[in-house]
Protein backbone atom coordinates (compact mmCIF):
# COMPACT_ATOMS: atom_id res chain seq x y z
CA UNK A 1 0.00 0.00 0.00
CA UNK A 2 1.15 3.53 -0.73
CA UNK A 3 2.72 5.26 2.24
CA UNK A 4 4.95 8.31 2.56
CA UNK A 5 8.22 6.89 1.12
CA UNK A 6 6.50 5.43 -1.95
CA UNK A 7 4.31 8.49 -2.52
CA UNK A 8 7.38 10.75 -2.40
CA UNK A 9 9.28 8.46 -4.76
CA UNK A 10 6.44 8.29 -7.29
CA UNK A 11 5.90 12.06 -7.17
CA UNK A 12 9.62 12.65 -7.82
CA UNK A 13 9.59 10.22 -10.73
CA UNK A 14 6.47 11.84 -12.18
CA UNK A 15 8.19 15.22 -12.08
CA UNK A 16 11.19 13.72 -13.86
CA UNK A 17 9.10 11.90 -16.48
CA UNK A 18 5.78 13.46 -17.48
CA UNK A 19 5.96 17.22 -16.86
CA UNK A 20 4.91 19.06 -20.00
CA UNK A 21 3.23 16.04 -21.59
CA UNK A 22 -0.22 16.50 -23.07
CA UNK A 23 -2.98 13.95 -22.47
CA UNK A 24 -4.59 12.94 -25.75
CA UNK A 25 -6.80 10.21 -24.34
CA UNK A 26 -7.90 9.30 -20.81
CA UNK A 27 -10.23 6.59 -19.59
CA UNK A 28 -11.26 5.54 -16.07
CA UNK A 29 -13.20 2.51 -14.93
CA UNK A 30 -12.57 0.46 -18.07
CA UNK A 31 -12.21 -2.65 -15.91
CA UNK A 32 -14.93 -2.76 -13.25
CA UNK A 33 -13.59 -3.22 -9.73
CA UNK A 34 -15.78 -3.41 -6.64
CA UNK A 35 -13.20 -1.68 -4.44
CA UNK A 36 -11.99 1.02 -6.83
CA UNK A 37 -13.09 4.44 -5.62
CA UNK A 38 -13.38 7.54 -7.79
CA UNK A 39 -14.17 11.20 -7.30
CA UNK A 40 -17.47 11.55 -9.12
CA UNK A 41 -18.27 9.42 -12.16
CA UNK A 42 -15.29 7.64 -13.75
CA UNK A 43 -17.09 7.80 -17.09
CA UNK A 44 -16.49 11.57 -17.06
CA UNK A 45 -12.73 11.38 -16.53
CA UNK A 46 -11.99 11.30 -20.26
CA UNK A 47 -13.91 14.51 -20.87
CA UNK A 48 -12.23 16.06 -17.83
CA UNK A 49 -8.63 15.10 -18.72
CA UNK A 50 -8.40 14.94 -22.51
CA UNK A 51 -6.24 17.80 -23.82
CA UNK A 52 -4.79 18.69 -20.42
CA UNK A 53 -1.05 19.13 -19.91
CA UNK A 54 0.82 17.80 -16.87
CA UNK A 55 2.26 20.77 -14.99
CA UNK A 56 3.47 19.33 -11.68
CA UNK A 57 3.39 16.42 -9.24
CA UNK A 58 3.68 16.26 -5.46
CA UNK A 59 3.02 13.93 -2.55
CA UNK A 60 0.78 14.68 0.41
CA UNK A 61 1.10 12.08 3.14
CA UNK A 62 0.75 8.74 1.37
CA UNK A 63 -0.91 10.19 -1.75
CA UNK A 64 0.92 11.11 -4.96
CA UNK A 65 -0.86 13.83 -6.91
CA UNK A 66 -0.58 14.96 -10.53
CA UNK A 67 -1.71 18.41 -11.62
CA UNK A 68 -2.93 18.59 -15.23
CA UNK A 69 -3.72 22.27 -15.88
CA UNK A 70 -6.77 22.91 -13.67
CA UNK A 71 -7.38 19.26 -12.73
CA UNK A 72 -5.79 17.38 -9.83
CA UNK A 73 -5.38 13.59 -9.94
CA UNK A 74 -4.74 12.00 -6.55
CA UNK A 75 -3.96 8.31 -5.88
CA UNK A 76 -4.40 6.57 -2.53
CA UNK A 77 -3.96 3.19 -0.83
CA UNK A 78 -3.55 0.28 -3.25
CA UNK A 79 -3.22 2.12 -6.57
CA UNK A 80 -0.34 0.88 -8.71
CA UNK A 81 0.66 3.75 -11.01
CA UNK A 82 3.06 2.83 -13.83
CA UNK A 83 4.76 4.83 -16.57
CA UNK A 84 4.88 3.07 -19.93
CA UNK A 85 7.13 4.13 -22.79
CA UNK A 86 5.77 4.58 -26.31
CA UNK A 87 5.14 1.19 -27.82
CA UNK A 88 5.07 -0.66 -24.50
CA UNK A 89 2.23 -3.14 -24.10
CA UNK A 90 -0.70 -1.84 -22.07
CA UNK A 91 -2.21 -4.13 -19.41
CA UNK A 92 -5.46 -5.81 -20.39
CA UNK A 93 -7.19 -4.46 -17.28
CA UNK A 94 -6.78 -1.05 -15.71
CA UNK A 95 -8.73 1.48 -13.63
CA UNK A 96 -7.20 4.59 -15.25
CA UNK A 97 -5.11 5.15 -18.36
CA UNK A 98 -3.75 8.47 -19.60
CA UNK A 99 -2.18 8.35 -23.07
CA UNK A 100 0.21 11.17 -23.97
CA UNK A 101 0.80 12.65 -27.40
CA UNK A 102 4.34 11.21 -27.55
CA UNK A 103 2.95 7.67 -27.23
CA UNK A 104 3.85 7.13 -23.57
CA UNK A 105 1.23 6.60 -20.89
CA UNK A 106 0.41 6.44 -17.19
CA UNK A 107 -1.63 3.35 -16.29
CA UNK A 108 -3.19 2.74 -12.87
CA UNK A 109 -4.35 -0.65 -11.66
CA UNK A 110 -5.87 -1.73 -8.36
CA UNK A 111 -5.58 -5.19 -6.85
CA UNK A 112 -7.30 -5.11 -3.46
CA UNK A 113 -8.66 -1.59 -3.06
CA UNK A 114 -7.66 1.95 -3.85
CA UNK A 115 -8.78 5.43 -4.83
CA UNK A 116 -8.26 7.41 -8.03
CA UNK A 117 -9.58 10.95 -7.65
CA UNK A 118 -9.66 13.48 -10.51
CA UNK A 119 -11.19 16.82 -9.57
CA UNK A 120 -10.94 20.58 -10.09
CA UNK A 121 -8.77 22.46 -7.60
CA UNK A 122 -10.37 22.79 -4.13
CA UNK A 123 -13.27 20.47 -5.05
CA UNK A 124 -12.05 17.49 -3.02
CA UNK A 125 -13.35 17.74 0.55
CA UNK A 126 -12.07 14.33 1.65
CA UNK A 127 -10.78 14.51 5.25
CA UNK A 128 -7.67 12.41 4.67
CA UNK A 129 -6.72 14.36 1.57
CA UNK A 130 -6.73 17.62 3.50
CA UNK A 131 -4.93 16.12 6.49
CA UNK A 132 -2.05 15.17 4.20
CA UNK A 133 -1.84 18.71 2.87
CA UNK A 134 -2.34 20.63 6.09
CA UNK A 135 -0.49 18.74 8.84
CA UNK A 136 3.31 19.04 9.16
CA UNK A 137 5.16 16.73 6.82
CA UNK A 138 7.07 14.14 8.91
CA UNK A 139 10.24 14.88 6.91
CA UNK A 140 10.02 18.64 7.43
CA UNK A 141 11.56 20.81 10.13
CA UNK A 142 8.04 21.64 11.32
CA UNK A 143 7.67 18.04 12.46
CA UNK A 144 9.91 18.52 15.50
CA UNK A 145 9.81 16.88 18.91
CA UNK A 146 7.59 19.63 20.32
CA UNK A 147 5.00 18.95 17.62
CA UNK A 148 5.27 15.18 18.09
CA UNK A 149 4.76 15.63 21.85
CA UNK A 150 1.67 17.76 21.20
CA UNK A 151 0.04 14.71 19.58
CA UNK A 152 0.12 13.01 22.98
CA UNK A 153 -3.14 14.00 24.63
CA UNK A 154 -5.21 12.39 27.37
CA UNK A 155 -7.05 10.51 24.63
CA UNK A 156 -4.08 9.36 22.58
CA UNK A 157 -1.97 8.33 25.58
CA UNK A 158 -4.48 5.53 26.16
CA UNK A 159 -3.84 4.16 22.67
CA UNK A 160 -1.40 1.43 21.73
CA UNK A 161 1.77 2.43 19.90
CA UNK A 162 0.35 1.15 16.62
CA UNK A 163 -2.96 2.96 17.04
CA UNK A 164 -1.19 6.19 17.99
CA UNK A 165 1.18 6.17 15.02
CA UNK A 166 -0.88 4.64 12.27
CA UNK A 167 -4.55 5.60 12.71
CA UNK A 168 -6.47 8.82 12.04
CA UNK A 169 -3.49 10.03 9.95
CA UNK A 170 -2.01 11.80 12.96
CA UNK A 171 1.23 11.54 11.05
CA UNK A 172 0.46 11.89 7.32
CA UNK A 173 1.76 8.99 5.26
CA UNK A 174 2.70 6.81 8.24
CA UNK A 175 0.62 3.65 8.04
CA UNK A 176 0.74 0.02 9.06
CA UNK A 177 3.50 -0.75 6.55
CA UNK A 178 6.28 1.67 7.52
CA UNK A 179 5.19 1.35 11.15
CA UNK A 180 6.72 -2.12 11.46
CA UNK A 181 10.41 -1.28 11.19
CA UNK A 182 9.93 1.94 13.16
CA UNK A 183 8.60 0.09 16.21
CA UNK A 184 11.20 -2.68 15.90
CA UNK A 185 14.11 -0.25 15.78
CA UNK A 186 12.62 1.79 18.63
CA UNK A 187 12.19 -1.50 20.58
CA UNK A 188 8.51 -0.87 21.25
CA UNK A 189 5.83 -3.57 21.05
CA UNK A 190 2.91 -2.47 18.84
CA UNK A 191 0.40 -3.24 21.62
CA UNK A 192 2.13 -1.20 24.33
CA UNK A 193 0.05 1.76 25.45
CA UNK A 194 1.62 5.15 24.92
CA UNK A 195 0.98 6.11 28.54
CA UNK A 196 3.35 3.33 29.64
CA UNK A 197 6.28 4.61 27.58
CA UNK A 198 8.99 6.49 29.43
CA UNK A 199 10.06 9.96 28.35
CA UNK A 200 13.21 8.43 26.91
CA UNK A 201 11.18 5.90 24.89
CA UNK A 202 8.94 8.63 23.50
CA UNK A 203 11.99 10.63 22.42
CA UNK A 204 13.48 7.52 20.82
CA UNK A 205 10.21 6.81 19.04
CA UNK A 206 10.14 10.33 17.59
CA UNK A 207 13.75 10.12 16.43
CA UNK A 208 13.11 6.72 14.86
CA UNK A 209 10.06 7.97 12.97
CA UNK A 210 12.15 10.75 11.44
CA UNK A 211 15.16 8.55 10.73
CA UNK A 212 13.36 5.57 9.18
CA UNK A 213 10.96 7.62 7.06
CA UNK A 214 13.92 9.62 5.75
CA UNK A 215 15.92 6.47 5.03
CA UNK A 216 13.01 4.77 3.28
CA UNK A 217 12.35 7.84 1.15
CA UNK A 218 15.98 8.41 0.19
CA UNK A 219 16.19 4.77 -0.93
CA UNK A 220 13.13 5.00 -3.14
CA UNK A 221 10.64 3.26 -0.87
CA UNK A 222 10.41 -0.19 0.67
CA UNK A 223 11.47 -3.41 -1.05
CA UNK A 224 7.93 -4.77 -0.69
CA UNK A 225 6.45 -1.93 -2.78
CA UNK A 226 7.13 -0.77 -6.34
CA UNK A 227 7.83 2.60 -7.92
CA UNK A 228 6.49 4.30 -11.06
CA UNK A 229 8.51 1.96 -13.28
CA UNK A 230 7.55 -1.24 -11.46
CA UNK A 231 10.85 -1.55 -9.60
CA UNK A 232 10.98 -2.44 -5.87
CA UNK A 233 12.24 0.18 -3.46
CA UNK A 234 15.79 0.09 -2.16
CA UNK A 235 14.99 0.03 1.56
CA UNK A 236 15.26 -3.53 2.87
CA UNK A 237 12.45 -4.17 5.32
CA UNK A 238 13.01 -6.44 8.32
CA UNK A 239 9.54 -6.46 9.84
CA UNK A 240 7.51 -7.47 6.80
CA UNK A 241 6.37 -10.57 4.93
CA UNK A 242 10.02 -10.97 3.89
CA UNK A 243 11.18 -11.35 7.48
CA UNK A 244 8.52 -13.60 8.97
CA UNK A 245 9.91 -16.82 10.53
CA UNK A 246 13.48 -15.57 10.03
CA UNK A 247 15.89 -14.70 12.88
CA UNK A 248 15.92 -11.08 13.97
CA UNK A 249 19.20 -9.53 12.74
CA UNK A 250 19.53 -7.66 16.04
CA UNK A 251 18.97 -10.41 18.61
CA UNK A 252 18.44 -13.68 16.76
CA UNK A 253 14.89 -14.29 18.01
CA UNK A 254 12.37 -15.45 15.42
CA UNK A 255 10.16 -12.80 13.80
CA UNK A 256 6.47 -13.67 13.96
CA UNK A 257 3.21 -12.18 12.76
CA UNK A 258 -0.14 -11.54 14.42
CA UNK A 259 -3.34 -9.79 13.34
CA UNK A 260 -3.94 -6.57 15.26
CA UNK A 261 -6.16 -3.55 14.64
CA UNK A 262 -7.28 -4.58 11.19
CA UNK A 263 -3.90 -5.59 9.82
CA UNK A 264 -0.83 -7.70 10.42
CA UNK A 265 1.98 -6.68 12.72
CA UNK A 266 5.44 -8.25 12.74
CA UNK A 267 7.15 -8.63 16.09
CA UNK A 268 10.46 -9.73 17.59
CA UNK A 269 9.93 -10.88 21.18
CA UNK A 270 13.58 -10.27 21.98
CA UNK A 271 13.62 -6.64 20.83
CA UNK A 272 10.00 -5.64 21.42
CA UNK A 273 9.08 -6.76 24.90
CA UNK A 274 5.44 -6.39 25.90
CA UNK A 275 5.65 -5.10 29.44
Amino acid sequence: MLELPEARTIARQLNETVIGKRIVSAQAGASPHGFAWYFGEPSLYGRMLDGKTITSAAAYGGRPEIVADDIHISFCDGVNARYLEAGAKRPAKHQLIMEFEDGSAIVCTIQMYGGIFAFPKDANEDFYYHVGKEKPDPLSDAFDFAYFSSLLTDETRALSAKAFLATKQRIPGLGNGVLQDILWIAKIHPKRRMELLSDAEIKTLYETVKKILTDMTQKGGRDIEKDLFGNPGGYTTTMSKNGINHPCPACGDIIYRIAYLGGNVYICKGCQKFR
Side-chain angles (χ1 to χ4, degrees):
M1 295 293 177
L2 291 174
E3 297 189 28
L4 185 148
E6 293 75 41
R8 281 289 188 90
T9 298
I10 290 170
R12 172 177 56 79
Q13 293 172 330
L14 287 166
N15 277 309
E16 296 168 349
T17 307
V18 300
I19 299 303
K21 294 195 176 190
R22 180 174 172 270
I23 303 169
V24 294
S25 175
Q27 183 183 27
S31 303
H33 190 299
F35 295 98
W37 308 312
Y38 298 91
F39 183 93
E41 290 295 326
S43 61
L44 301 178
Y45 278 33
R47 185 187 310 171
M48 189 187 307
L49 295 171
D50 288 357
K52 303 293 185 181
T53 298
I54 307 299
T55 56
S56 65
Y60 302 105
R63 298 187 179 190
E65 180 176 278
I66 299 171
V67 179
D69 291 333
D70 59 335
I71 301 298
H72 293 239
I73 310 156
S74 178
F75 310 130
C76 74
D77 295 321
V79 175
N80 299 309
R82 299 286 182 266
Y83 175 76
L84 301 179
E85 296 281 2
K89 184 179 180 181
R90 283 26 176 174
K93 295 183 178 181
H94 49 73
Q95 278 67 53
L96 174 68
I97 184 167
M98 295 184 291
E99 298 276 3
F100 300 114
E101 60 185 347
D102 66 352
S104 63
I106 293 289
V107 180
C108 298
T109 59
I110 296 171
Q111 291 184 328
M112 295 177 62
Y113 60 87
I116 300 171
F117 309 127
F119 52 91
K121 182 181 179 182
D122 299 329
N124 190 348
E125 298 181 354
D126 177 69
F127 169 78
Y128 290 104
Y129 175 73
H130 285 282
V131 162
K133 299 189 76 169
E134 295 166 4
K135 286 190 175 183
D137 186 305
L139 302 186
S140 70
D141 290 341
F143 191 89
D144 56 15
F145 184 59
Y147 175 77
F148 184 78
S149 298
S150 74
L151 300 176
L152 287 165
T153 64
D154 289 343
E155 178 184 358
T156 61
R157 285 181 184 277
L159 299 175
S160 67
K162 173 183 172 176
F164 172 74
L165 290 180
T167 62
K168 305 292 187 182
Q169 280 295 280
R170 289 180 190 85
I171 303 175
L174 198 166
N176 190 60
V178 300
L179 168 84
Q180 310 295 332
D181 273 20
I182 288 172
L183 290 180
W184 169 60
I185 291 169
K187 299 187 183 301
I188 295 172
H189 194 285
K191 289 187 175 182
R192 279 189 70 195
R193 295 202 310 275
M194 293 299 296
E195 63 190 356
L196 300 180
L197 300 185
S198 67
D199 291 344
E201 285 176 314
I202 291 172
K203 185 66 180 294
T204 296
L205 181 58
Y206 162 74
E207 292 171 346
T208 306
V209 166
K210 295 280 284 190
K211 178 180 183 300
I212 297 305
L213 288 180
T214 298
D215 195 19
M216 288 177 172
T217 302
Q218 290 176 343
K219 291 178 178 176
R222 294 164 285 157
D223 60 349
I224 56 173
E225 301 293 339
K226 294 184 178 180
D227 65 11
L228 188 65
F229 306 105
N231 301 315
Y235 177 91
T236 302
T237 54
T238 298
M239 294 294 163
S240 71
K241 61 183 180 181
N242 294 342
I244 189 171
N245 296 327
H246 287 78
C248 168
C251 73
D253 214 328
I254 299 299
I255 296 168
Y256 69 101
R257 177 183 64 196
I258 62 170
Y260 178 56
L261 290 181
N264 291 321
V265 289
Y266 300 86
I267 304 169
C268 168
K269 286 183 179 179
C271 293
Q272 298 166 280
K273 299 188 184 299
F274 186 49
R275 58 185 184 274

